[in-house]
Each structure stands twice: as C-alpha cells, then as structure tokens.
Amino acid sequence: MSDNLPPCPSCSSEYTYEMNALMVCPECGHEWVPAEGDAEQAAGAGEREIRDAVGNVLSDGDTVTVVKALKVKGSASGIKAGTKVRNIRLVDGVDGHDIDCRIEGFGAMQLKSSVVKKV
C-alpha cells in the first residue's frame, strides 16, 4: 500500500485505499472523507467542544439562559424558559447532561447543552 494514505480512524488499519473522493478500510468497512478523518483525530487529541442550542462554544464559568421550559422530577413547578444560570461547569455527564450547575430555587443539577443559550 502507499505510505501517504492515513490509517483507518475507526480500527487503525494501515490497509486503507482511495475510492473516488472517499477513503475505505477493507478490514472494518469504514468509509470517510480524508479531511474529515484528520479533523476527527485533531478533535480527539484536544478537549472536546460543547456547544449550546444555537452553536456557541461553552466554557466553564459561563452564564447561560434556559431556552425552553423544563420539567423537574419531584417539583410541582419546572424551570421556566429564560431562567439565567450562572457559573456553569462542563462535565462528562450521563445521557447527554454535560452541564453541572446550581439553579436558584432548585439546587444543584445537570442540564443538557441543547436546552441552554450562552448570554
């Protein structure tokens, strides 16, 4: 095989080949665009980016606003849309809940980044 072809990003096989605009791995069957595979490897090497509902990159300490009403188990009222949450912390949460925060009146909880917007 050619030395300049990248290994498979899925299984790391060195036996990849080109098929039109795609790269193909004969061992696992994974197909990818070469530029796309390089971007995935670069993203995997650094920290992962967490984006809010409109695509802004979030970071620790940001202030966000809840964009839709949320139901909270064990509470008669939920979190209303427009509620500000200050000093968020990004975590590897469970089931997509990647923001750890404290909401006034509710206490500590985790939120999904898809339901907040950076202020």
Side-chain angles (χ1 to χ4, degrees):
M1 294 283 129
S2 177
D3 290 336
N4 62 356
L5 295 177
C8 176
S10 183
C11 71
S12 300
S13 170
E14 60 186 28
Y15 302 112
T16 58
Y17 62 92
E18 289 182 276
M19 185 173 69
N20 299 330
L22 294 175
M23 296 295 298
V24 180
C25 176
E27 291 185 2
C28 70
H30 182 67
E31 297 178 349
W32 74 99
V33 177
E36 192 176 280
D38 295 340
E40 288 174 7
Q41 289 175 353
E47 282 189 35
R48 71 179 190 141
E49 276 187 353
I50 297 178
R51 296 184 176 267
D52 66 2
V54 293
N56 298 323
V57 178
L58 296 172
S59 60
D60 286 344
D62 282 346
T63 299
V64 295
T65 303
V66 178
V67 294
K68 70 179 215 176
L70 303 172
K71 295 180 183 176
V72 178
K73 285 185 180 177
S75 173
S77 64
I79 299 171
K80 295 179 182 178
T83 302
K84 278 192 178 183
V85 181
R86 292 179 178 83
N87 199 18
I88 65 169
R89 192 170 55 112
L90 304 178
V91 295
D92 290 329
V94 193
D95 198 27
H97 294 81
D98 44 14
I99 297 175
D100 203 15
C101 62
R102 180 173 302 278
I103 299 177
E104 221 173 289
F106 290 97
M109 64 176 44
Q110 290 188 339
L111 296 173
K112 292 184 178 183
S113 58
S114 60
V115 297
V116 297
K117 179 177 134 188
K118 188 173 180 177
V119 176

